[in-house]
């Protein structure tokens, strides 16, 4: 009996940690989507480029319509800003589905 309770607790904690990670990815995706929507409005953007942990230098971002997208497993592809927005919207839908699935798993575990 005690072993079963321990396994239940471990499984519930693992699923809750997974839900936290999924929600972190969701927030990152939304933040990136917001940034991508404003980037192509200007040709260049002035930024502070990090040189070290404490050192920064003024710089500019050029080619704001070209975005390098991570497609997983260390592979990247070059997309336009509008293509990147569509890509992120699809990824956001996938993440939201994964979040809903994870909530179902956690609720099923708690109902047992």
């Amino acid at each position: 009996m005690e072993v079963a309770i321990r396994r239940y607790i471990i499984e519930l904690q693992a699923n809750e940690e997974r839900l936290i990670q999924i929600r972190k990815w969701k927030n990152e995706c939304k933040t990136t989507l917001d940034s991508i929507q404003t980037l192509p409005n200007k040709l260049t953007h002035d930024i502070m480029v990090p040189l070290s942990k404490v050192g920064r230098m003024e710089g500019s971002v050029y080619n704001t319509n070209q975005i390098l997208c991570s497609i997983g497993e260390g592979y990247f592809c070059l997309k336009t800003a509008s293509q990147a927005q569509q890509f992120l919207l699809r990824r956001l839908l996938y993440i939201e589905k994964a979040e809903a699935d994870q909530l179902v798993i956690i609720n099923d575990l708690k109902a047992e």
Side-chain angles (χ1 to χ4, degrees):
M1 181 78 166
E2 216 174 279
V3 174
I5 292 172
R6 252 189 259 136
R7 285 184 185 167
Y8 167 78
I9 291 171
I10 290 171
E11 187 173 347
L12 185 61
Q13 287 174 343
N15 282 298
E16 287 176 344
E17 288 172 7
R18 173 89 172 130
L19 182 63
I20 290 169
Q21 181 65 39
I22 289 171
R23 287 182 173 159
K24 180 182 170 194
W25 289 335
K26 183 178 175 181
N27 289 336
E28 289 174 356
C29 191
K30 285 182 177 181
T31 303
T32 305
L33 191 57
D34 291 340
S35 297
I36 286 177
Q37 290 173 346
T38 59
L39 271 178
N41 294 343
K42 296 192 315 188
L43 291 176
T44 62
H45 290 270
D46 294 328
I47 61 167
M48 294 300 289
V49 180
L51 298 175
S52 66
K53 290 183 180 181
V54 292
R56 297 181 187 269
M57 182 177 140
E58 290 183 13
S60 297
V61 175
Y62 298 98
N63 299 328
T64 57
N65 197 38
Q66 296 177 348
I67 297 170
L68 196 61
C69 292
S70 170
I71 55 175
E73 299 295 325
Y75 291 97
F76 297 86
C77 64
L78 194 61
K79 294 186 175 279
T80 64
S82 63
Q83 290 172 336
Q85 285 176 0
Q86 294 303 315
F87 178 77
L88 282 172
L89 287 173
R90 287 191 304 271
R91 181 173 280 178
L92 188 58
L93 287 174
Y94 173 79
I95 291 171
E96 287 173 348
K97 183 183 179 311
E99 180 183 24
D101 292 344
Q102 196 66 34
L103 282 171
V104 167
I105 292 169
I106 289 171
N107 289 335
D108 287 347
L109 282 172
K110 287 181 178 178
E112 289 180 2

